[in-house]
């Protein structure tokens, strides 16, 4: 399984962060979100039959955080604070993904955006 997982994530980078995997059994594919803080956001699509994988929508504006959109928690702005770095916005993008009941439409949005 570890070898297959490495092959699936062939489109991932060292800083890739994935929080969701969706399986579309009708199409025989899996969709993995990449919401890395480095900003190279997009989807990793895996052909479950062959194990081949490829990236889609990498750096597309629809998977990136909205510029200057500060996320908030219970009405308070949320900033990224790292030792030795200036206070900044959370750079992560693509976060929520969901397939329609018939598996023909994918809905997705970045972590900080006003759009879906």
């Amino acid at each position: 399984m570890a070898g297959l997982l490495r092959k699936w994530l062939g489109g991932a980078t060292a800083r890739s962060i994935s929080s969701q995997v969706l399986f579309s059994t009708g199409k025989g594919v899996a969709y993995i979100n990449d919401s890395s803080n480095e900003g190279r956001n997009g989807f990793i699509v895996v052909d479950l039959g062959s194990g081949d994988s490829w990236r889609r929508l990498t750096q597309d504006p629809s998977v990136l955080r909205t510029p200057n959109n500060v996320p908030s928690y219970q009405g308070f702005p949320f900033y990224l604070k790292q030792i030795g770095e200036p206070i900044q916005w959370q750079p992560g993008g693509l976060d929520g993904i969901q397939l329609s009941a018939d598996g023909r439409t994918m809905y997705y949005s970045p972590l900080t955006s006003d759009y879906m």
Side-chain angles (χ1 to χ4, degrees):
M1 180 66 174
L4 185 57
L5 186 58
R6 273 193 298 276
K7 185 175 181 181
W8 283 5
L9 297 178
T13 68
R15 293 185 172 196
S16 290
I17 298 172
S18 178
S19 61
Q20 284 186 284
V21 178
L22 294 178
F23 294 93
S24 178
T25 55
K27 291 186 177 183
V29 297
Y31 303 96
I32 304 170
N33 71 327
D34 183 353
S35 57
S36 67
N37 284 341
E38 72 175 347
R40 190 171 178 255
N41 294 250
F43 292 97
I44 300 169
V45 183
V46 181
D47 181 315
L48 298 174
S50 69
D52 291 337
S53 64
W54 56 94
R55 294 186 68 90
R56 289 291 184 253
L57 294 177
T58 299
Q59 293 300 94
D60 186 85
S62 68
V63 299
L64 300 176
R65 65 181 295 281
T66 303
N68 301 322
N69 185 327
V70 179
S72 63
Y73 177 72
Q74 294 184 347
F76 295 98
F78 182 81
Y79 296 96
L80 180 63
K81 299 176 186 178
Q82 295 178 325
I83 296 172
E85 299 285 329
I87 294 174
Q88 56 188 328
W89 294 295
Q90 179 71 29
L94 181 62
D95 187 55
I97 60 175
Q98 185 62 47
L99 289 174
S100 62
D102 62 8
R104 298 179 74 187
T105 305
M106 177 184 288
Y107 300 94
Y108 61 92
S109 69
L111 178 62
T112 59
S113 175
D114 297 327
Y115 308 102
M116 179 172 196

